[in-house]
Amino acid sequence: MRPARYLLLCSAFAAAVTASPGSHPRIASAEDKKDDGARPLFNGKDLGGWALVNTHSDTFFVKDGEIVTTGNPMGFLRTDRQYENFVLEMDWMHVNKKEVANSGLFVWGDPLPAVGTVYTRGIEVQVLINYPKRDWATNHGDLFSIWGAKCVPDRPHPKGYERCLPSEERVKGGGEWNHYKVTANDGAIKLEVNGKEVSGVSNCNPRKGYLALESEGAECHFKNLTIKELPSTNPKPEEVAKVSEGHVSLFNALDLKGWTTKEGAWKVSDGKLIATGKGDLVTEKPVGPGQLILDWRVPAKAEKNEFHVEIGDSKVRAEPREGGKPGAWSRATFAVERGPHPVTFKGTEGLEVMNVFYRETKEGK
């Protein structure tokens, strides 16, 4: 046999063995995908290209070429730019073998959390295992709108929710890697789980925004994140998520680091600052000029629905949302004129504060 024909037959035999029905194809790596127009969404070394939004600095980290979230505190890590139409692929793995483990990928989200929650407005691609079988949610790749976003599920939900339940159960359990392929185009999202499409939503709003990984109480690992951008379909301004203005969090949602107060006057619980009424809470580092944003609420039985903040020598009152009653969350925005000034939260019993963000400006607006 001539050497050329021999090599050709060997190559054909190797290809046949690789493609045989009994074989198990490996999950493609980011390097495999580089020739189809996709590019890495994660560099495998650090969180460059991503922004911590409202969690502790240790909540998301990189180890052995993976993005790992501890799940605590709850919040999200987002891309530093918006995306519209794309094909995103990633591998994920929960470590819990028996306990419920939750996380997710947020698509087309805002840069900051929605009012009174640690999560953004957007469409969620569920990353969940070990959840008891119920008629409203599954472990196998649900797609749904969250916190004011809108979508239409490809199949009507049995309870009428804006949530598409997957057509098959394809997600593997704790300690095993799963592969997601998310195709987002012209306001529609299709999800493939381990090689087969199972879920879809359409008529999404927003349909352009940030991508984010979710921290929700359980350790989860992500790797081989790639993205191939598709041509724009020209969303209207009202279909585009808000654009980041450079706000950074002043509260790590775990402890009082960065703040001073009397012992026992304030505590941290479930990602919230809670006042006992025994003293004020003051930033260790003065800020300004700039803009301060925060969410607040007083107990439902409170006599007054108000919250007072001191910025330097200025005393300002937070106004509740229109029609807002005690017990409901409101978002307050304050201009920090001149400065730098310390910021003081006036402690009243039962007051809760969360989502504390600041951005530096020249005018204090």
Side-chain angles (χ1 to χ4, degrees), residues 106 114 119-124 144-150 162:
F106 297 152
Y119 300 126
T120 183
R121 176 182 67 127
I123 307 300
E124 180 169 348
F144 52 98
S145 58
I146 57 173
W147 298 107
K150 303 296 291 182
E162 289 185 8

Side-chain angles (χ1 to χ4, degrees), residues 30-253:
E31 186 69 19
D32 296 327
K33 300 174 189 301
K34 67 180 181 181
D35 293 332
D36 69 355
R39 65 173 183 82
L41 193 57
F42 161 53
N43 64 25
K45 300 176 181 178
D46 55 41
L47 295 178
W50 295 79
L52 288 168
V53 179
N54 57 341
T55 63
H56 192 277
S57 59
D58 294 335
T59 301
F60 288 91
F61 60 93
V62 175
K63 183 179 180 181
D64 298 330
E66 302 167 8
I67 296 178
V68 182
T69 176
T70 64
N72 187 36
M74 294 189 289
F76 62 102
L77 170 79
R78 65 164 175 82
T79 54
D80 61 7
R81 53 159 289 202
Q82 292 190 341
Y83 292 87
E84 183 192 347
N85 300 330
F86 57 84
V87 178
L88 181 152
E89 298 193 49
M90 70 177 189
D91 303 324
W92 63 266
M93 177 185 68
H94 277 300
V95 298
N96 288 0
K97 298 293 181 67
K98 296 181 180 180
E99 301 85 355
V100 174
N102 202 352
S103 184
L105 168 72
F106 297 152
V107 176
W108 296 325
D110 290 324
L112 297 181
V115 177
T117 176
V118 295
Y119 300 126
T120 183
R121 176 182 67 127
I123 307 300
E124 180 169 348
V125 183
Q126 187 89 78
V127 172
L128 174 70
I129 62 170
N130 302 328
Y131 190 72
K133 191 169 184 178
R134 296 178 181 173
D135 61 356
W136 77 276
T138 81
N139 295 300
H140 298 280
D142 296 17
L143 295 178
F144 52 98
S145 58
I146 57 173
W147 298 107
K150 303 296 291 182
C151 72
V152 177
D154 285 1
R155 291 178 295 277
H157 190 279
K159 293 185 177 295
Y161 301 155
E162 289 185 8
R163 186 183 190 108
C164 183
L165 302 182
S167 57
E168 289 187 21
E169 297 183 355
R170 298 182 61 82
V171 167
K172 302 172 187 177
E176 298 186 79
W177 286 100
N178 292 277
H179 185 73
Y180 272 8
K181 181 177 181 179
V182 180
T183 302
N185 194 23
D186 197 21
I189 299 175
K190 305 294 183 182
L191 172 64
E192 295 179 26
V193 176
N194 293 323
K196 186 172 182 179
E197 183 179 311
V198 297
S199 308
V201 292
S202 61
N203 297 322
C204 298
N205 192 350
R207 61 185 182 94
K208 178 180 179 180
Y210 297 92
L211 308 176
L213 300 177
E214 179 186 20
S215 169
E216 194 173 357
E219 182 179 331
C220 189
H221 296 231
F222 302 89
K223 68 178 182 179
N224 296 333
L225 286 88
T226 66
I227 191 164
K228 177 182 179 180
E229 293 193 71
L230 305 176
S232 173
T233 48
N234 303 311
K236 300 175 182 178
E238 60 270 23
E239 296 174 325
V240 178
K242 297 176 183 178
V243 177
S244 173
E245 296 180 311
H247 290 89
V248 296
S249 179
L250 298 183
F251 169 47
N252 66 28

